[in-house]
Structure formats: structure tokens, C-alpha cells
Amino acid sequence: METNILKRIFFDERQHWKRFVEKYGNRIRPNVIKEIEKFRTCGTSENGFKLFVCEGCHHVRKMTFRCKGRFCTSCSNGETEEWGRLLAEDMFQVCHRHVIFTIDEGLRNIFLQHREMLKPFMDEAVKLVQGWFKKKFRVTPGIIAGLHTFGSRLNFNPHVHMLVTMRGMKENGEWKVYNYIPFSMLRKQWQVVVLKLIRRTVSEIEKKKIQPLLQKAYSANAEGFYVYAPKQKGNVKEQLKYIGRYIRRPAIALHRIEEYDGEFVTFRYYDKKEQKEKRETISVEEFISRLIRHIPDEQFKVIRHYGVYSRKLKAMCKRLVSVWQKEVRKWIVNVRKILRRRTWRERIKEGTGKDPMICPRCQCYYEYKGEVWLHGGELKVRYAVDDMARRYLTREIEHGKVKEEKTQEARRNHRISISSSEKQGQLRLFGVQ
């Protein structure tokens, strides 16, 4: 499928997203509408662009701005890759465990209806791990927690992924090694914590309604809710990079969407119970409904850092560990102090092997001539190196306005033709000439 298959599902000539908003507008979170609109304009001139001209053949190239939205798969792929790389470099180069905390299937809709519980949901999972390590070993581990609200079928399935150091730091900077996690104990404690969290969050009236669900979740999971933490093998840095990308990944990858015929979407998923890959075909409305519920609330952080990885303590912990290693002459922890994000040009060059700033026609370099940005809801020339560049940018803005007007008119005409054909089909269905 084409790379913008998700945009086609939402915004093609059938205008599924517009119809969805008209039907469920009062039930859609405002932040969802905001993120979808950012996704719609991502990679288009509507967001603005930079102008480059080849110094040799004068080939013109416009590089549009990305939306950097939390729903956009195009933006998240690049950011996830870069975040995973920085994470692997910034973390202590020691063994980590990938710990997963899940809940009973019957409780998922409660968290969907009470999204305010998702933050304490993450915090409580981390407290269990931190509390056990502090009590047993008197050390502070490093934890990076990520919240996933989606399952393989795009169903709402909140669970917490953690990267936990299998070592921890004492108050004097000493780094102590451990490699044991008590699954049975954590499972029962996690079950109790989740049920208490729900009971203290919902109202008394709702508590009476969901009491059978809570009782069933407790009795059906005699050993507690599922907690999984497989041992990691192989290169530490590659482990961290892979798990980091996994924690930050979007709800669905574009390559999983196999078919879209205008009314139905077919995607594949891996069924963990039956241990095989399956396919599911659902209506576009159902597909959109499943997908947008995983857009986090505004300012909600789906990735959080705790312990020696917390933003307040990380720098101090690195200094303490470095001093302790020099004193005892044990080089257990490889501490990286200087990190730098790769530029857009560096990422493209490393990923494709081609320099995007070199003209493919004559192999000369592109020169920056100016840029257009979105200010106050309108596109304006932000910078131009000379009058010629300014005139060109102004013409592009006017051309974009005319093109948008023609596109909207074509969409209106197409909707009229679709509604007309639907009426004719309905008349023929009932045998009316």
C-alpha cells in the first residue's frame, strides 16, 4: 500500500473523518480533533515550507514542515527511531529487564471511561518495583515506563511497559548488582493496587454498578494480574534501542494495513493466544473509532522516567556512580555525558545513504533561499534572502490558496454525486422506477 494509506482512509473523497465528526462530534475529545487536523496538514504546504534552490542547475525544491503530532505515523517513526538511539546512549550500559504490567480484560472499559486513572496507573506499577528493590536491596533502580493503551487489534488494552535496571545505586553512589524479580508476589500486589485505584477514583453510584466486574476480576485471577519480565540476552545497547522503540511505537504501523476499498479496512495482527497471524476487516467508522481512542490527552506524558533515570536525579546519579567507580576501580557502568540529536539531514543520509541537500540532477548543493510559516492562521513569508525569493514565496502562497479552493469545490461536487447515486440505489432497491 502507499505510504499515506492512513491519510487516504481519513481524508479521501468520501470524507470519512468529516462524517465521523458530524455524527459523534459531542463525544470526541477536543484534543483528538486537534491532533487529526495536524495529521491532515502534515507534509503539505499548509503548514509552511523552506525553499531551496540548486546552485548548479537552479532546480527548486520545497521542503514542507512536519506536524510532529502524537497521531501522525510519519512523524512518530522518525522520532521513535531517534528517541530509541538517544535512549540507548544515555542510559547506564548495564543489563535491563523489560517488565510488563497488565490488567484483567473486564476492567479495560473502566479505564477508557476514566482516562484520569492512566497517570496513577503508571505510577502505581513503578512504585511496586521501586518498593521491592528498596526494601530487599536498599538501592534505587533506574526505570523508564511507557503506557500502551492499545492491543494488537486496536482494542483498548491499557498496560505498562518498563525498562528496569537489573542493578541499582546506593546513597553513596555504589552500584549493586541483582537479577531477581518475584513475579508471584508482584502479581498479587499489582492486582490489589489496580482494584483499589479503581475504587477510590469512581463515584459511589458507579462503584455499585461495576462491583460485579471488580469481583470477577479478583476471583478469576487467583495468582494476580499478569506480570511478565523476560531475561534479556545479547548486546546491551541493541536491547535498549529495540525496547525503547517498542515502548514508543504507534498504535498501528502502516504496513499492517493491507486493504482499503473506500468502505472497509483490512489489517493484520498477531494473535498471542493462538500464536499466529490473523486478519480482520472492519468498517472505516469502526477503524477510526478504535484508532482515535489511543490518542493521549493533551500534555499527557506516555513515557516517564523514575529513580536514577528521573530528570531531577539523573545528572547527580551519574556523577556519584562515576566517583564511586574511580575510588573502587571497578568499571561496571559506562556513563555517557554528551549526547546530541541528529539533524534531519543526518538521519536521512544515514537511513537512505543519500544526502538530501545534494541535487540528484547535477550533484551540486542546494542553497537556502527562505521559508514560509503559518502565523495567525495564515501563511506568511518568514524570511527571504532577496526580492526574487520573496516574490517566488508570495506566488506559492497565492497558488496554494487557489489550489485549496479548487480541492474543496471538487470535494463538494463529489459528495453531491455520491449522495445522488446512493438515493438512486435506494430507489432501485425498493423497485421504484
Side-chain angles (χ1 to χ4, degrees):
M1 305 298 292
E2 66 271 26
T3 55
N4 61 346
I5 178 63
L6 204 57
K7 274 193 174 182
R8 193 156 70 89
I9 293 172
F10 273 73
F11 309 115
D12 69 358
E13 63 275 4
R14 294 181 176 272
Q15 292 293 291
H16 290 294
W17 172 244
K18 186 175 181 179
R19 292 183 178 185
F20 189 88
V21 172
E22 290 173 352
K23 186 176 181 179
Y24 302 104
N26 59 339
R27 296 170 57 185
I28 303 175
R29 289 174 291 144
N31 187 55
V32 170
I33 297 178
K34 177 182 175 182
E35 291 294 331
I36 297 297
E37 181 59 23
K38 288 166 64 176
F39 170 62
R40 183 186 70 81
T41 60
C42 181
T44 66
S45 299
E46 293 182 51
N47 278 342
F49 57 88
K50 290 185 178 182
L51 177 65
F52 293 88
V53 178
C54 175
E55 61 185 3
C57 65
H58 304 294
H59 175 249
V60 176
R61 183 174 184 181
K62 291 195 304 182
M63 295 187 181
T64 55
F65 296 136
R66 310 302 300 189
C67 70
K68 295 183 174 60
R70 309 181 80 176
F71 178 77
C72 180
T73 51
S74 300
C75 293
S76 64
N77 283 338
E79 286 298 314
T80 299
E81 187 70 28
E82 184 65 8
W83 185 81
R85 186 189 70 84
L86 290 173
L87 180 72
E89 296 288 341
D90 191 38
M91 296 175 71
F92 292 132
Q93 303 300 300
V94 298
C95 183
H96 288 68
R97 281 280 189 97
H98 181 195
V99 187
I100 307 168
F101 284 81
T102 66
I103 61 173
D104 183 80
E105 185 176 352
L107 305 179
R108 294 172 183 174
N109 281 336
I110 299 176
F111 282 87
L112 176 61
Q113 296 167 7
H114 296 274
R115 302 183 71 97
E116 69 274 12
M117 288 195 296
L118 294 177
K119 166 63 168 59
F121 178 71
M122 295 176 66
D123 292 339
E124 293 293 345
V126 172
K127 284 180 182 177
L128 280 181
V129 178
Q130 282 183 324
W132 185 79
F133 285 137
K134 287 181 179 180
K135 180 179 179 181
K136 183 70 175 179
F137 301 106
R138 296 181 182 179
V139 298
T140 300
I143 300 176
I144 296 179
L147 175 70
H148 280 188
T149 58
F150 49 86
S152 57
R153 297 178 57 223
L154 300 180
N155 53 310
F156 195 81
N157 177 17
H159 53 284
V160 181
H161 291 265
M162 291 187 210
L163 266 174
V164 184
T165 57
M166 286 294 96
R167 307 176 180 193
M169 192 190 77
K170 291 186 175 181
E171 293 182 359
N172 62 352
E174 179 183 351
W175 196 254
K176 189 171 182 179
V177 179
Y178 53 84
N179 194 24
Y180 171 70
I181 296 180
F183 291 104
S184 57
M185 184 186 73
L186 288 181
R187 290 185 62 170
K188 290 300 294 182
Q189 290 183 352
W190 175 235
Q191 183 185 48
V192 173
V193 163
V194 171
L195 296 177
K196 284 185 176 180
L197 172 62
I198 294 174
R199 286 195 174 96
R200 70 170 180 262
T201 303
V202 301
S203 63
E204 291 297 326
I205 296 176
E206 190 174 0
K207 194 183 297 182
K208 293 180 181 179
K209 294 180 180 179
I210 65 173
Q211 182 57 35
L213 291 176
L214 301 181
Q215 187 61 42
K216 183 179 178 181
Y218 182 79
S219 57
N221 298 273
E223 297 181 358
F225 295 157
Y226 188 63
V227 177
Y228 183 57
K231 290 185 177 181
Q232 305 298 322
K233 298 180 180 180
N235 184 274
V236 172
K237 186 177 292 186
E238 291 302 318
Q239 291 172 16
L240 298 179
K241 192 181 295 184
Y242 168 77
I243 298 173
R245 291 197 304 267
Y246 185 86
I247 290 176
R248 199 184 168 98
R249 69 189 176 97
I252 187 170
L254 293 180
H255 64 81
R256 286 176 55 197
I257 304 174
E258 295 191 337
E259 187 178 354
Y260 164 61
D261 61 3
E263 295 297 332
F264 294 92
V265 179
T266 301
F267 65 94
R268 68 176 185 270
Y269 67 95
Y270 185 74
D271 190 326
K272 294 182 179 179
K273 291 183 179 179
E274 298 186 16
Q275 298 289 311
K276 65 179 182 180
E277 191 174 74
K278 293 184 177 180
R279 284 162 180 78
E280 184 171 0
T281 300
I282 56 178
S283 66
V284 173
E285 182 178 308
E286 175 65 18
F287 180 77
I288 292 176
S289 176
R290 290 191 194 182
L291 205 55
I292 63 175
R293 67 182 60 176
H294 305 300
I295 298 177
D297 291 336
E298 195 167 10
Q299 303 299 325
F300 182 85
K301 296 180 180 179
V302 295
I303 306 291
R304 299 176 186 271
H305 300 70
Y306 303 84
V308 299
Y309 287 148
S310 64
R311 302 188 188 279
K312 293 182 179 180
L313 302 177
K314 183 167 62 175
M316 181 188 68
C317 291
K318 284 186 175 183
R319 287 196 301 269
L320 288 174
V321 171
S322 297
V323 171
W324 173 77
Q325 289 188 143
K326 290 178 182 179
E327 292 177 352
V328 299
R329 296 183 179 277
K330 290 183 180 180
W331 308 108
I332 300 175
V333 184
N334 182 14
V335 180
R336 297 291 299 271
K337 296 182 180 180
I338 300 176
L339 292 174
R340 185 182 68 86
R341 288 182 62 89
R342 293 178 301 179
T343 63
W344 165 82
R345 181 180 180 181
E346 290 172 339
R347 294 205 303 265
I348 296 295
K349 190 174 180 179
E350 185 173 327
T352 64
K354 298 180 181 180
D355 191 339
M357 295 306 295
I358 294 180
C359 178
R361 300 183 178 185
C362 64
Q363 302 303 310
C364 293
Y365 282 97
Y366 283 104
E367 291 182 330
Y368 172 70
K369 293 296 183 180
E371 64 184 81
V372 171
W373 70 324
L374 191 63
H375 184 68
E378 294 185 2
L379 288 175
K380 296 182 179 180
V381 178
R382 185 177 188 182
Y383 173 77
V385 295
D386 50 36
D387 290 339
M388 183 180 294
R390 183 172 294 275
R391 288 196 299 270
Y392 181 89
L393 293 172
T394 304
R395 285 200 306 270
E396 285 296 309
I397 293 174
E398 295 301 324
H399 177 70
K401 290 180 180 178
V402 174
K403 187 177 180 181
E404 179 63 22
E405 291 175 359
K406 290 182 178 179
T407 302
Q408 290 179 359
E409 184 179 357
R411 287 173 178 171
R412 284 195 298 269
N413 294 336
H414 187 80
R415 285 199 298 272
I416 292 172
S417 65
I418 287 178
S419 60
S420 176
S421 63
E422 286 176 349
K423 289 178 182 178
Q424 292 175 4
Q426 189 176 17
L427 290 174
R428 286 195 295 270
L429 178 65
F430 290 100
V432 180
Q433 301 298 326

